[in-house]
Amino acid sequence: MTDDTSGTSGNRAVMTRRGMLALAGASAIAGCGSFGTTGSEPTIDAYDLPDVRRNEELESPVPPSVPVDVAASHFEAARERVRSLLATLPTPLGPDEIPNGHVRQHLTDAASTASDGLDEARTARTELVALRELRSAREHARYAAAGWSVADRGRTDAPFREEHSQTVLAAREAMQAHEYVGTDPVRAALVHARIETALQRANETDGRPRADSELLAVAECGERAESAQAYLDDARHLQSQFDAALPDDAGTLEPVLTAGAQTLLAAVRDRREDLPPETTTDDRTPGRIVFEELRWEAESGISRLTDAVGPASAVVDANSQLARFQAIDRIQTRREADELARPSDGKTVRDIRQTAYDALTAALESSSQPELVRAILVDAGHKVMAADRWLTHHQGEISASTLDRSVADYWHATALARSASAATQQTVQALASD
C-alpha cells in the first residue's frame, strides 16, 4: 500500500487559477473583479497569489490510511454491489418512469454520483480512501435503486427498516466480541481505531427520513440500510486482514491500549489547565484567528476523548490533541515575536503556503512512526486544502485582510505538522510504559 502525499495528479492536465485569470483578459487585470478593497489597507493582485491546481483545491495533500492491506476481492465485491444496484435502474430514467421532475433528479443524481464513485475509488491514493469512495458509491446506488423500486413495484420502507435493524444488531454483536489482538501497540491502535469507528457507524440508529416525498423517504431508508452494511463489511474485513497478518501467538493488547489511553487523557487534561488565556483584543488578524481556533480545538476536544468509542480511538485522538497543544505553544511563541504579521504582498503568501506544504512532507518523511504521524497530518492537510480553496475565489486587486482566512489555515497546518513528531513520541512512550 503506497501513499502519495504530494497532492498532485502526475501529468494530468488541469486548469490552474492563474490560467483562468489569464483567460479572463483585460477586465480582470483592470480590477473589474476587485471586491472589498480599502483606501488605507495594502492591496494584493490576485495574479501574484499561489497558483492552486484544481486537484489541490479538492484533495487533502495527506490522505488518511490504515496499516492493513485490503484484499482485491473486497474491493471487487463492493464494485459489483454498486454495479448490480445501478443495473436495476432503467436507462435513461425519464419522465415516463418518474413523472415528478424533482424526485427524478434526486434519483438520477444519486446514480451518477455512485458511478463517479467507482472511478474515484480506482484513482484513490490510499486503500482507505478507496474504501470510503466505494462505501459512498454503495450508499448512493442503493438510494437510487430503492427509490426506483417504489415507482416500479410499489415497495415500502418496511423491508429496508428490517434490513437496517438486522445490520445494527450484527454490528452490536461485533462490538461486544471485538478483541484487540496485536503485537505492536501503535499499529494495533491505528487499525482497531478504524474498526471501532466503522462498527460505531454501522450501529447508528438516527431518526426518520428527512425527505417530504414518500418515494424519496423510502430511498433514504434504503441508503441508510446500505450504509450500515457497508461499514460492517469494511470493519469485518479490516479485522480479518489484520488478524491474518499476525503470528499465531499474538495476544490481546486491550490492557495496553486502555492504560495508554488513560495516561494520554491525563496528559491532555494537564495541558488544558495550562492553556494561555483567550485574546481580549478586537483585532481579527490571521495570527489571532489561528491562535483562537487551535485553542478552541484543544479545549473542546477533551470531550471526544472521554466519549471515545473504544481505547484505540482514544489513543489516536489523544495523539492529535497533544499535537494541538504543541501547536498552540508554537503559535504563541511566534505571536510574541511578531512573526505572524498579515502579509502585504503575493510573494509572502506564496512563501507561507509553501512552508505549510514543506512542513507536511518533512513531518511524514522524518518520523519513525509515519503511520501515527499521518493521523495528525490528515487534519493539517485539510487546513491546507481549505486555504487553497479560499485562494481560488479571488480576482483582481484585493485587500490584504481578504486573505486572512487562508493565511491562518496555512499557519495552522504548519504548526500542527511541526508538532506531530513530539506528540507522537509522547504517545509511543505512553503505550510502551504500560
Side-chain angles (χ1 to χ4, degrees):
M1 177 168 55
T2 59
D3 295 328
D4 174 15
T5 62
S6 66
T8 63
S9 297
N11 295 323
R12 183 175 63 186
V14 291
M15 175 65 77
T16 65
R17 181 192 56 76
R18 182 175 296 171
M20 294 178 67
L21 287 175
L23 291 175
S27 60
I29 296 175
C32 294
S34 176
F35 300 97
T37 58
T38 65
S40 59
E41 186 178 335
T43 61
I44 298 175
D45 190 335
Y47 188 83
D48 295 329
L49 295 176
D51 208 12
V52 178
R53 295 178 179 271
R54 180 65 175 170
N55 55 308
E56 291 174 332
E57 177 191 349
L58 297 176
E59 298 179 2
S60 170
V62 184
S65 69
V66 61
V68 171
D69 289 326
V70 179
S73 59
H74 185 71
F75 285 130
E76 183 53 35
R79 294 188 189 99
E80 181 55 34
R81 176 60 176 167
V82 175
R83 290 192 289 260
S84 65
L85 288 168
L86 293 179
T88 66
L89 298 167
T91 305
L93 187 63
D96 291 339
E97 291 78 19
I98 306 287
N100 186 306
H102 171 74
V103 171
R104 184 173 64 252
Q105 190 64 51
H106 272 277
L107 301 188
T108 301
D109 288 347
S112 177
T113 300
S115 181
D116 290 344
L118 293 176
D119 295 331
E120 294 293 336
R122 291 189 186 94
T123 59
R125 288 179 291 158
T126 70
E127 291 183 333
L128 187 64
V129 174
L131 284 180
R132 183 185 66 197
E133 296 294 346
L134 288 172
R135 188 167 57 243
S136 176
R138 285 179 60 174
E139 294 166 0
H140 284 91
R142 190 67 182 282
Y143 178 94
W148 168 241
S149 72
V150 178
D152 185 41
R153 304 190 303 277
R155 202 173 187 191
T156 68
D157 63 357
F160 298 115
R161 291 185 181 278
E162 176 60 25
E163 177 187 339
H164 182 251
S165 296
Q166 292 299 318
T167 302
V168 168
L169 179 61
R172 289 176 179 173
E173 292 174 349
M175 292 177 73
Q176 293 173 356
H178 185 194
E179 296 183 2
Y180 293 84
V181 293
T183 55
D184 176 3
V186 172
R187 186 165 181 259
L190 291 165
V191 175
H192 287 295
R194 293 293 179 184
I195 296 171
E196 287 173 347
T197 299
L199 289 176
Q200 182 189 41
R201 296 298 301 273
N203 187 38
E204 289 179 352
T205 56
D206 52 346
R208 298 178 180 180
R210 299 181 298 272
D212 51 7
S213 159
E214 181 179 353
L215 186 151
L216 295 182
V218 175
E220 287 186 16
C221 287
E223 178 185 28
R224 184 173 65 164
E226 190 70 22
S227 177
Q229 187 61 56
Y231 274 111
L232 181 58
D233 290 345
D234 287 350
R236 286 171 169 169
H237 184 73
L238 291 177
Q239 183 72 68
S240 65
Q241 288 292 97
F242 188 55
D243 291 350
L246 293 173
D248 294 338
D249 60 349
T252 178
L253 288 176
E254 184 169 4
V256 174
L257 295 175
T258 300
Q262 292 172 347
T263 299
L264 293 169
L265 178 58
V268 168
R269 283 173 171 157
D270 288 344
R271 288 302 308 267
R272 188 176 67 169
E273 295 298 322
D274 296 331
L275 276 175
E278 295 184 66
T279 305
T280 57
T281 59
D282 293 331
D283 71 280
R284 291 300 296 168
T285 61
R288 181 184 177 184
I289 292 173
V290 63
F291 173 79
E292 294 294 352
E293 286 190 350
L294 275 168
R295 190 186 187 285
W296 180 85
E297 289 177 3
E299 189 171 32
S300 62
I302 194 168
S303 62
R304 186 168 62 249
L305 295 179
T306 56
D307 297 334
V309 63
S313 296
V315 167
V316 175
D317 286 345
N319 182 58
S320 295
Q321 280 299 102
L322 290 172
R324 290 187 177 94
F325 285 108
Q326 296 274 356
I328 289 173
D329 293 343
R330 290 178 177 275
I331 291 297
Q332 183 72 346
T333 299
R334 295 189 66 188
R335 290 182 75 203
E336 292 172 354
D338 293 327
E339 295 177 358
L340 298 182
R342 173 184 290 140
S344 58
D345 59 82
K347 180 182 182 304
T348 303
V349 177
R350 293 197 304 272
D351 290 344
I352 290 171
R353 178 179 185 264
Q354 189 60 50
T355 297
Y357 272 93
D358 290 345
L360 293 173
T361 302
L364 196 60
E365 293 180 349
S366 64
S367 175
S368 61
Q369 295 286 346
E371 293 164 338
L372 189 56
V373 163
R374 179 180 287 270
I376 299 170
L377 299 184
V378 169
D379 289 341
H382 280 120
K383 285 294 182 181
V384 168
M385 180 178 66
D388 282 350
R389 186 174 298 161
W390 277 106
L391 285 186
T392 65
H393 295 167
H394 306 305
Q395 296 183 36
E397 290 286 332
I398 58 174
S399 59
S401 61
T402 304
L403 303 176
D404 285 356
R405 175 75 272 166
S406 288
V407 171
D409 282 345
Y410 289 135
W411 282 338
H412 191 142
T414 301
L416 268 183
R418 290 177 173 173
S419 302
S421 177
T424 297
Q425 290 176 9
Q426 187 172 352
T427 299
V428 171
Q429 291 172 0
L431 292 172
S433 62
D434 296 308

